[in-house]
Amino acid sequence: MLGACVDRRVIRHYTGRVFATWVSLLTGVGSYDSQCGLKVIRSLAFAAIADNLRETRFVFDVELALLLLQGGFKIREVPINWREVPGSKVSLVKDSIRMFSGILRIRKRCGTAQGSSLMLKITIRFG
């Protein structure tokens, strides 16, 4: 994402891009990086969707974003600086299968964000 300094392995970058593409195609959530760990949500927005949240692992971010969009809330992605920390417990194959299955569950249960708008805020820093 423009405006952020992201330090990670190439394989992690490309698996993230593939995942984001699948999320967009299957749910309509067009986020650059739904898996970033930082989420800031207004209490009113969270209260409106909290009872419908079902996912608890890697794809809860996708379900969260989709339900917010379906509820008419806007989402703004803000670039942050991020650095991969060695020692990740994520299994590329096993967790990728779990994440893809999770996207399919969300799609079946919640549908898509058709007609919802994802507002991206892109910051470009000069100098």
Side-chain angles (χ1 to χ4, degrees):
M1 175 174 236
L2 291 175
C5 177
V6 177
D7 180 18
R8 63 181 165 196
R9 292 175 294 151
V10 172
I11 188 71
R12 189 159 182 164
H13 171 76
Y14 286 111
T15 54
R17 300 309 327 127
V18 169
F19 182 75
T21 300
W22 278 113
V23 167
S24 180
L25 291 172
L26 293 172
T27 68
V29 175
S31 173
Y32 181 83
D33 185 3
S34 64
Q35 301 315 107
C36 175
L38 180 63
K39 308 284 185 279
V40 179
I41 304 167
R42 294 182 188 270
S43 59
L44 176 69
F46 185 77
I49 65 160
D51 289 342
N52 296 315
L53 292 168
R54 299 287 178 266
E55 298 296 328
T56 58
R57 294 195 42 108
F58 292 119
V59 294
F60 93 91
D61 317 76
V62 175
E63 183 182 40
L64 178 70
L66 178 58
L67 291 173
L68 286 168
L69 290 170
Q70 288 177 336
F73 297 99
K74 292 189 185 308
I75 296 176
R76 179 175 55 187
E77 271 188 285
V78 179
I80 62 168
N81 294 332
W82 184 85
R83 194 158 143 253
E84 181 177 359
V85 177
S88 172
K89 305 284 190 272
V90 176
S91 164
L92 182 61
V93 175
K94 201 182 326 182
D95 291 324
S96 293
I97 292 168
R98 288 179 181 157
M99 291 169 79
F100 184 72
S101 299
I103 298 169
L104 293 177
R105 274 193 313 274
I106 292 167
R107 164 71 186 250
K108 183 177 180 182
R109 188 175 57 249
C110 304
T112 67
Q114 218 169 16
S116 301
S117 64
L118 177 65
M119 183 176 74
L120 297 178
K121 178 182 177 186
I122 299 175
T123 305
I124 301 174
R125 296 183 186 145
F126 296 96

